[in-house]
Amino acid sequence: MSTTLRMLLLLLLTAACGHLPVQSSGAIPPAPLQLLPEEQEVLSLLELAAQVSASEKVWPGFQTQDLPLLVYCSGPRALALGPYPGAAPLPSYPSLGPVALVPRTQLPLKDVGSLFLSDLRLHGVGWFVMRHQAGDDPVDWYRTLVHELFHVYQKTAFVPGPRPACRYPYEDCANFTALAAEGQLLADLLDADQQCSPGLADYAASRLGRLGGASGAVAASIEDQEERLEGTARYVEVGYALEADLTTARAESVRARDALADPQPSKLQKWRYYESGRALLRLAKGSVAGWVEAGDAPFRVMLRSCKLAPPPAPPLANKSLCEARIGAYLERESSLLVAYEQATGTRLRLWLPRSTSSFYSNQGMTFATTDCRLFISGLQLFEDRQASLVVRKRPVFLQARRDDGLYYLEFKGKLLQLTVDGQALALEGLVDQAFGKSVGLNGEGFSLDFQGKGRISLKDGTLALEAAPQSPKGAE
């Protein structure tokens, strides 16, 4: 298997030219076109992933080639893999199923600003959209593609889990002390790479004792959820890279140790559990896929598969460790919030329909607040193409996990112009009114052109805009 995959990988440099049907609105089909080098590279990587899927060694049931995929390349065409009109198998890439080259001008997105988008509805099918730029590192792109396609798979294959708590219990010093020790132990066990190692009993005893503490239920809800979703996706991503000889077990152990052995407070809400979840599945015994899909988190899978039931070990607080790590972290959070509140400008609070065409990029600190919002301190760009919303270079609050079909975005800025239902309004004249067709905002570094219904108000320096959940431009 690995020899075959190595040969497939050579296609990245030596792929023979293939031919695809090109979609066109004309009545006469055009002549087939040669694949560009970038398109050959993308298809070779997809073929590689499909070959790993076919072996069913990593996660039985997950097949990368079965998920409708649009790849936006640098050139004028996108690759459509799946039930796109006119798509057909390509002999040079036999594992991929129907494929088509689609001129990007015929697709609803002018560009893909983020690396990927989920569930773009096209021809009655939900497509996963992935961007590829000429010169992208092929191994990183392959791993990201597998990881994100597995998230698509999770939506239908995994039994939904309970909603986790909003914010990790950073203030629980005993929890953090035990977590630091567990990370060292788990990294050591992963280095040894022995299923159901005796050392797992010590790890399990510590974790059971820690999660039984004052903040245990809160910590457990976040750790279990993130390990089940992101940990399994990292497990699959690494498994696919190992099967394709694109990484080594040693390299992955080093990556895991960096994440686990020295716990970073900023990663306790989410990022740490990519590696802890993968490690627990790697060290468990037998096939893990069925248990995880049925609802078990990786820690519970490890306990069950290894038949471990150690007595919980109550954690002890290390005050100096917590003061140096957690104290400094919380002080940084507080200073960012104070700076936000002291900034001048209108406070804009937007409730808009959830959208699959929204994304953001960030170069600062991000953390969750107790009221279930996310504070993004170094936002570079937030864009929601469905609402024609663009916000640049400022801190924002974001709350996407809502039950009303809307998401919440808050930021400060200088508001220059407001239009309601096509009519310009003086800012000082706005109090509270409904709108039936549209709202437009223009300011320094932000703009909005929302088409739909809702209410808008301006009071005490705060502009609040709430769209109706059933807006014509609402999320699908």
Side-chain angles (χ1 to χ4, degrees):
M1 176 65 176
S2 60
T3 301
T4 302
L5 293 177
R6 277 194 294 269
M7 293 176 65
L8 285 169
L9 186 58
L10 290 176
L11 291 173
L12 296 177
L13 300 175
T14 62
C17 292
H19 293 82
L20 284 168
V22 179
Q23 300 305 301
S24 171
S25 57
I28 301 175
L33 296 180
Q34 280 192 334
L35 290 168
L36 301 173
E38 181 188 353
E39 294 163 346
Q40 293 177 23
E41 178 175 298
V42 168
L43 289 168
S44 297
L45 290 170
L46 294 170
E47 176 79 7
L48 196 60
Q51 291 290 333
V52 176
S53 289
S55 74
E56 298 230 321
K57 286 185 177 180
V58 180
W59 197 276
F62 171 55
Q63 301 285 322
T64 58
Q65 68 274 21
D66 287 348
L67 301 171
L69 172 68
L70 278 173
V71 181
Y72 267 64
C73 297
S74 311
R77 304 181 301 226
L79 291 164
L81 292 89
Y84 196 90
L90 184 66
S92 300
Y93 304 94
S95 300
L96 298 184
V99 184
L101 277 174
V102 186
R104 285 171 46 165
T105 55
Q106 295 183 13
L107 295 171
L109 297 176
K110 294 181 181 179
D111 191 14
V112 180
S114 60
L115 182 58
F116 52 84
L117 296 172
S118 297
D119 198 26
L120 173 70
R121 303 300 300 182
L122 193 62
H123 299 295
V125 176
W127 297 80
F128 181 77
V129 183
M130 187 83 175
R131 186 183 67 193
H132 183 280
Q133 298 293 304
D136 281 350
D137 181 273
V139 175
D140 288 346
W141 193 86
Y142 171 91
R143 292 180 63 137
T144 302
L145 175 77
V146 170
H147 187 106
E148 297 305 329
L149 284 179
F150 191 73
H151 283 321
V152 176
Y153 172 80
Q154 287 171 336
K155 293 178 182 179
T156 56
F158 281 32
V159 172
R163 176 173 287 186
C166 293
R167 178 176 166 85
Y168 197 81
Y170 299 99
E171 295 82 358
D172 187 337
C173 181
N175 177 79
F176 182 75
T177 301
L179 191 71
E182 289 170 24
Q184 292 275 1
L185 180 54
L186 191 57
D188 291 342
L189 293 170
L190 193 60
D191 280 344
D193 199 19
Q194 177 185 348
Q195 288 185 325
C196 295
S197 167
L200 279 173
D202 294 333
Y203 172 86
S206 174
R207 183 159 175 171
L208 289 170
R210 176 173 62 84
L211 299 182
S215 305
V218 173
S221 71
I222 293 171
E223 293 176 27
D224 285 352
Q225 169 86 341
E226 296 298 339
E227 286 177 345
R228 185 170 182 243
L229 296 180
E230 297 296 355
T232 55
R234 178 57 57 82
Y235 174 84
V236 170
E237 168 202 327
V238 171
Y240 270 62
L242 287 169
E243 286 294 309
D245 289 336
L246 302 181
T247 188
T248 64
R250 177 59 186 163
E252 298 306 320
S253 291
V254 170
R255 180 199 292 258
R257 181 170 290 279
D258 289 343
L260 298 173
D262 182 22
Q264 299 293 325
S266 61
K267 296 182 178 180
L268 296 186
Q269 187 74 26
K270 181 181 183 70
W271 302 108
R272 184 180 190 275
Y273 312 114
Y274 285 63
E275 296 301 339
S276 63
R278 181 186 83 85
L280 290 168
L281 293 177
R282 177 77 179 179
L283 297 171
K285 186 177 182 180
S287 177
V288 299
W291 283 346
V292 173
E293 289 184 7
D296 276 352
F299 179 54
R300 302 295 167 181
V301 170
M302 186 275 292
L303 290 177
R304 290 176 58 191
S305 69
C306 295
K307 297 181 172 57
L308 294 178
L316 298 175
N318 181 332
K319 298 295 185 181
S320 61
L321 173 66
C322 295
E323 182 177 349
R325 303 299 298 279
I326 296 296
Y329 171 79
L330 294 177
E331 184 177 345
R332 176 62 175 154
E333 279 193 354
S334 178
S335 67
L336 289 170
L337 292 173
V338 169
Y340 174 80
E341 290 300 329
Q342 292 177 344
T344 60
T346 301
R347 185 191 303 265
L348 294 102
R349 291 174 170 164
L350 310 179
W351 287 264
L352 296 171
R354 278 203 298 268
S355 167
T356 59
S357 64
S358 63
F359 63 91
Y360 71 87
S361 60
N362 176 46
Q363 293 184 357
M365 185 176 181
T366 299
F367 56 87
T369 59
T370 54
D371 59 359
C372 296
R373 295 184 300 170
L374 193 67
F375 184 74
I376 305 167
S377 68
L379 181 108
Q380 297 301 296
L381 171 67
F382 181 95
E383 184 170 354
D384 178 354
R385 289 177 170 144
Q386 185 168 280
S388 297
L389 171 66
V390 175
V391 182
R392 299 181 186 275
K393 294 187 176 180
R394 69 198 63 222
V396 304
F397 283 100
L398 173 65
Q399 185 182 17
R401 198 177 71 182
R402 297 170 60 91
D403 296 325
D404 57 4
L406 305 176
Y407 72 87
Y408 172 83
L409 186 72
E410 176 187 318
F411 57 94
K412 286 188 174 183
K414 185 175 181 180
L415 180 60
L416 303 175
Q417 186 179 31
L418 167 67
T419 59
V420 176
D421 290 335
Q423 300 295 317
L425 293 183
L427 301 180
E428 58 272 14
L430 175 66
V431 179
D432 183 358
Q433 69 181 75
F435 57 90
K437 295 181 180 179
S438 64
V439 167
L441 302 174
N442 276 292
E444 294 184 354
F446 64 91
S447 62
L448 170 74
D449 183 13
F450 174 73
Q451 306 296 309
K453 301 178 181 179
R455 298 197 68 85
I456 187 168
S457 65
L458 181 61
K459 182 179 180 182
D460 298 330
T462 297
L463 183 144
L465 187 161
E466 183 168 359
Q470 300 302 317
S471 165
K473 285 231 164 189
E476 291 186 341

